[in-house]
Amino acid sequence: MPRIHRTGGRRTPARHRARGGHDPQLPPAALHIALVSEHASPLATLGGRDAGGQNVHVAALAGALADRGHHVVVHTRRDAPDLPERVPLRPGVEVIHVPAGPPEPLPKDELLPHMARFGQYLERRWRAEPPDVVHSHFWMSGVATLHAARRLDLPFAHTYHALGTVKRRHQRDADTSPAERVAWETEVGAGCDRTIATCRDEVSELLAMGLDERWIDVVPCGVDPYRFSPRGPGVPRRTDRHLLVQIGRLVPRKGAALSIAALALIPDAELVVAGGPPAPLHDADPEVRRLRALAADLGVADRVHFTGGLPRSRVPALLRTADVVLCPADYEPFGIVPLEAMACGTPVVASAVGGHRDTVDDPATGRLVRPGDPVALAEATAGLLASPARRAACGAAGRRRVLSRFRWDRVAAATDHIYRDMRLRRRDTRPLTPAASRRA
């Protein structure tokens, strides 16, 4: 597994240990765990602009923690008027819909003004039913959680999933994040007990923000190797061409345009792009229109197929049918699709960014290529398509890598260890900074 920055006792230097199960000296008692995921509900349909890997992560982590005997409550924003306050997700896990802002879908970049009310709700609920540990996901969840957790003296871990500094660096003027994002991310990192990063690249970014390495751990995202498996039904192929697949949110940074440009250099292949609005609304989506126009300009419109957002249950069949899965994002905080493809025994060609560099083992499980380079993407993909034996070897190696490093039960065990260690070794009380107190 990726090495993890494990915090020792109070104010001790960082220790670097291989990720493992929980310490046998820690108490085995079940915990009441509160997860906070303000925009990424574990109940959401994937593929929309704000529904992707974080939704998967929160749902799977909650389930794996419940499998370890814990009771998990996920707090997410109510985005429809008819949603019940509490919804069972599975045994040991329930979702609470928090009234914060209008009960309708809102872009996540517009949610910050509603985080004060979200945080007030958390404080009231947690005062009545205190959790043993709180774990927020994404920076605005951290904003909502920070004040309540500190006021109630609750152990508080945070996972960013994406960083404003990285987004701003890549998107520049196209970045629609609130201007306060980076400042708030720093406040959350300074105010929580532990920051749980998902890859080594993120640790470097956190250190550049000024966060203290002693309070940073690395635990990757995971995958369910039973749901995502080489065994099972596939999807019907339209033609006898090689099948390339890209799955994810349909936003420019995910690189679907790059996949289409690469396809123009691979004459014996077709591309399925899964993501975006569901089929009835798909043709009206601006990004779909842009990509269709690009495909037409490059002469590959007949070889590019858009499915719209897929129900989670249909994703494994598509991945295991693909000859190669493409993950050419401009930047990727972690990227869960490569793991899902590898679990299905399918080789991956991914951009050498972020979490891809931890998950894709080049050349054993696929290829890592320069981001933003359609020629490099096409060459690496064509090389795999030219050799069935190489694809089979990459697929088998990817499956082994997932089983040994990225199962959700291992992710939950490492996270459980952090929770318990955090509760037992609470560092000296750190009051909110004046800036954080004013914002909260």
Side-chain angles (χ1 to χ4, degrees), residues 341-364:
M342 289 159 57
C344 289
T346 303
V348 175
V349 178
S351 50
V353 297
H356 290 172
R357 295 190 290 181
D358 282 358
T359 55
V360 179
D361 183 10
D362 184 347

Side-chain angles (χ1 to χ4, degrees), residues 140-152:
M140 278 185 287
S141 294
V143 171
T145 303
L146 181 62
H147 188 61
R150 293 299 94 187
R151 285 177 65 88
L152 301 175

Side-chain angles (χ1 to χ4, degrees), residues 152-227:
L152 301 175
D153 195 30
L154 297 173
F156 170 25
H158 179 71
T159 297
Y160 285 96
H161 291 280
L163 288 169
T165 52
V166 178
K167 185 176 182 183
R168 187 168 297 172
R169 184 188 312 145
H170 285 274
Q171 296 193 1
R172 299 184 182 181
D173 292 342
D175 180 10
T176 58
S177 299
E180 308 96 322
R181 175 172 179 170
V182 174
W184 262 121
E185 286 180 333
T186 304
E187 294 285 359
V188 169
C192 67
D193 292 291
R194 298 287 179 86
T195 297
I196 303 178
T198 58
C199 67
R200 293 172 297 173
D201 185 72
E202 185 181 351
V203 174
S204 300
E205 299 288 349
L206 293 171
L207 296 181
M209 288 167 54
L211 298 190
D212 190 332
E213 185 179 20
R214 293 174 297 175
W215 316 120
I216 301 173
D217 298 86
V218 178
V219 180
C221 299
V223 66
D224 180 348
Y226 302 102
R227 173 178 293 179

